[in-house]
Amino acid sequence: MIVQDRQFQHLGKPRKLVEGAERVSGRARYSGDVQLPGMLYGRPVLSPYAHARVLQIDSDAARAVPGVVAVLNAADLPTRNRQASSRQTTTLAADLVRYRGEPVVLVLATSEAAAADGAAAVLVDYEPLEPIADPERAIAPGAAVIWPDGPPDEETDLTATHAATSDVADTQHAEHSNLYERKRYERGDLDAALAAADVTVTYTFRTPIVHQGYLEPHAVVADFDPIARTLTVYTSTQGQFGVRADLARMLDLPQSKVTVTPMTVGGGFGAKYGILEPLTAAAAVAVGRPVRITLTRSEDFLTTTPSPASIIDITLGAASDGTLTALKVDAILDNGVYPFTLGGIFSMLIGGYYRCANTRIEVSEVLTHKPQTGAYRAPAAPQAAFALESAIDALAAKLQIDPLELRLKNAAGPEDLTGENKPWGDIGLRQVLEAVREHPLWRERKPGDGTGLAIGGWPCGNNTAAAVCRVDTDGTVRVHVGSVDISGVNS
């Protein structure tokens, strides 16, 4: 709507997908379609406990299953001396499991059926331990600590992959605690603004973890050449360069020896950033043969990276004319067992959609015995928008002001600040709201018809890029780029 009076050659025009015919005809190749000579099929054995000691693994029956070639545990892999620091660096648990769904054993066989039969025959003796599943209890005084020696350092900053955000918060790290990090951003005099507000609203919002629900489960093929010491990986991923860096570091290989070939992605939504690649590649190195692992739907639900659960306390203060004067947020984000820092981007969004001179945002990022959380479309954005927009609607109702007009009155502009106290730039929020005001769905709405309104925004990540152009003899220009086709990128 912002550029409706301008004429563009390509923007706003329908275009056919470059790979459209390939997809609808079924000729698109996914990771699960890759077949290599001598390839083995992997089936992981996942922990049924959120917290337990691994006492013994009996793999004799599994090795006797026809077609089973190897049954691997952590000690059999080249990554055995490395401490996992994230779900993106997990292979197999050794003596302790810290979330339900953590891989403990990998069965390799000449067929998927044989691998599944072998995995079913593996016997693992666990000593169940008390799990810490509730983030509020995790940071209560006296709570058992998941990482007594301190949590492992993050080796990969996936938040930066998704969003352009800066960290200028008052940040606290609590040693020997399940509180991984607490961020605090503030401006103005919040307490005075709340005391002077004509109207205030206060709510607590809770959101559960949510799986991304892509159609294609995680699938990876890894092929290691032990003579040349080169690794080739075929994977359904949204970030092949991050995967290459992680694999090279974990397997002590130069990045020049690691080739990651992104396959057609059957849905990602922020979740496909190197979950299976470490285990698949480590297994291929261990046995010297190509290995393919494709998760079942149940395995995918258990062992991947859903969006974080959250508890958000929010208070808004406003003048009688609807001017927003105060915003107070106290939030808890459930990181799961590994750190996945989202406090900065959460604060940026929840404190930046609306102009407000007095804000205080505190975010506690808590570790629990759950799978590490990850991105869902936009990391922490759905949680922030749900809480803020619900509170704005409640404020509009209390003030008896049209909810769209309240948003327009307070919409952040180019000179206003995000929740991280940095200028937004021109985000076009006011123009979008003005366009919505003129839309028939809004103008012709009737009480009780279910028409609602909410806003959202995202500071897209801006990383370096490269391209190679080649002009063929017939004048065709070919552009080679290192992008993965997500949502029609190739178009």
Side-chain angles (χ1 to χ4, degrees):
M1 300 298 293
I2 300 173
V3 296
Q4 60 183 353
D5 296 328
R6 305 177 189 175
Q7 296 299 317
F8 292 93
Q9 183 177 355
H10 299 291
L11 292 179
K13 303 294 193 301
R15 300 183 63 81
K16 292 183 179 180
L17 294 174
V18 172
E19 74 288 355
E22 184 181 63
R23 294 197 182 208
V24 299
S25 65
R27 288 186 289 112
R29 293 185 77 224
Y30 295 82
S31 298
D33 297 322
V34 175
Q35 298 280 350
L36 299 177
M39 188 174 74
L40 299 177
Y41 299 83
R43 181 94 277 122
V45 176
L46 307 181
S47 169
Y49 298 101
H51 190 204
R53 286 191 180 89
V54 179
L55 301 179
Q56 186 176 1
I57 298 173
D58 184 349
S59 57
D60 290 344
R63 296 178 193 279
V65 171
V68 169
V69 174
V71 181
L72 305 176
N73 58 37
D76 299 317
L77 299 178
T79 53
R80 55 186 166 272
N81 294 322
R82 293 190 64 90
Q83 168 67 60
S85 61
S86 66
R87 186 61 185 90
Q88 289 72 30
T89 57
T90 293
T91 52
L92 296 175
D95 56 349
L96 192 69
V97 293
R98 293 184 173 89
Y99 59 94
R100 187 184 178 200
E102 183 168 9
V104 178
V105 177
L106 180 67
V107 177
L108 300 177
T110 55
S111 70
E112 290 184 339
D117 289 344
V122 173
L123 299 176
V124 183
D125 186 13
Y126 297 95
E127 178 190 350
L129 302 172
E130 184 70 24
I132 301 169
D134 181 86
E136 290 180 299
R137 291 180 60 188
I139 54 177
V145 179
I146 294 175
W147 300 98
D149 298 325
D153 293 330
E154 295 178 273
E155 294 183 281
T156 303
D157 184 3
L158 287 181
T159 305
T161 302
H162 291 274
T165 179
S166 59
D167 188 358
V168 292
D170 176 10
T171 302
Q172 300 175 1
H173 294 269
E175 294 184 4
H176 308 296
S177 166
N178 296 316
L179 175 61
Y180 175 70
E181 194 171 88
R182 176 178 282 127
K183 292 180 181 292
R184 178 185 176 113
Y185 302 85
E186 58 183 323
R187 59 178 177 260
D189 189 337
L190 176 73
D191 295 331
L194 283 175
D198 294 324
V199 174
T200 63
V201 295
T202 299
Y203 287 92
T204 296
F205 298 96
R206 294 174 180 263
T207 66
I209 63 173
V210 179
H211 189 274
Q212 293 81 2
Y214 32 78
L215 292 178
E216 176 205 24
H218 281 258
V220 179
V221 176
D223 186 13
F224 181 69
D225 184 334
I227 298 175
R229 292 195 60 77
T230 57
L231 175 68
T232 303
V233 176
Y234 305 85
T235 179
S236 173
T237 182
Q238 295 174 250
Q240 69 272 37
F241 296 108
V243 168
R244 182 182 66 177
D246 285 340
L247 292 177
R249 182 172 57 249
M250 292 178 65
L251 297 171
D252 294 323
L253 294 171
Q255 288 196 26
S256 60
K257 294 283 190 177
V258 180
T259 300
V260 176
T261 302
M263 305 299 291
T264 305
V265 178
F269 315 116
K272 291 188 174 175
Y273 281 94
I275 303 299
L276 275 186
E277 288 86 343
L279 177 56
T280 312
V285 172
V287 299
R289 292 175 62 173
V291 172
R292 186 176 88 190
I293 303 177
T294 303
L295 294 181
T296 66
R297 182 63 61 189
S298 295
E299 290 167 345
D300 204 294
F301 281 140
L302 282 172
T303 194
T304 54
T305 53
S307 68
S310 68
I311 304 168
I312 304 169
D313 296 319
I314 183 169
T315 297
L316 299 179
S320 57
D321 66 353
T323 301
L324 192 63
T325 58
L327 167 67
K328 179 183 179 183
V329 177
D330 192 348
I332 294 175
L333 299 181
D334 188 342
N335 279 181
V337 71
Y338 294 116
F340 184 57
T341 52
L342 296 175
I345 187 63
F346 174 89
S347 301
M348 177 185 189
L349 298 174
I350 202 166
Y353 291 150
Y354 300 108
R355 181 173 55 256
C356 185
N358 307 287
T359 68
R360 182 187 302 147
I361 303 169
E362 292 184 284
V363 185
S364 298
E365 303 188 50
V366 181
L367 301 175
T368 59
H369 283 119
K370 296 176 185 174
Q372 174 196 302
T373 56
Y376 181 16
R377 299 293 299 189
Q383 294 88 340
F386 168 63
L388 179 62
E389 291 300 282
S390 298
I392 287 289
D393 277 344
L395 183 63
K398 197 166 185 177
L399 288 166
Q400 297 185 330
I401 295 176
D402 181 281
L404 189 147
E405 297 304 325
L406 180 63
R407 287 172 168 85
L408 259 174
K409 184 177 186 66
N410 296 286
E415 302 305 319
D416 293 312
L417 302 178
T418 70
E420 290 184 304
N421 297 323
K422 294 289 187 180
W424 259 121
D426 188 3
I427 59 176
L429 176 55
R430 173 168 292 277
Q431 295 95 318
V432 169
L433 287 170
E434 288 172 346
V436 171
R437 183 168 55 184
E438 301 305 316
H439 196 283
L441 282 176
W442 187 256
R443 285 191 292 102
E444 299 170 10
R445 72 190 190 284
K446 297 178 177 60
D449 67 1
T451 301
L453 171 69
I455 65 169
W458 188 248
C460 295
N462 298 299
N463 298 320
T464 56
V468 175
C469 295
R470 186 182 76 190
V471 181
D472 291 343
T473 55
D474 63 356
T476 301
V477 178
R478 299 181 183 273
V479 182
H480 302 264
V481 295
S483 64
V484 177
D485 182 41
I486 302 291
S487 302
V489 169
N490 288 345
S491 298

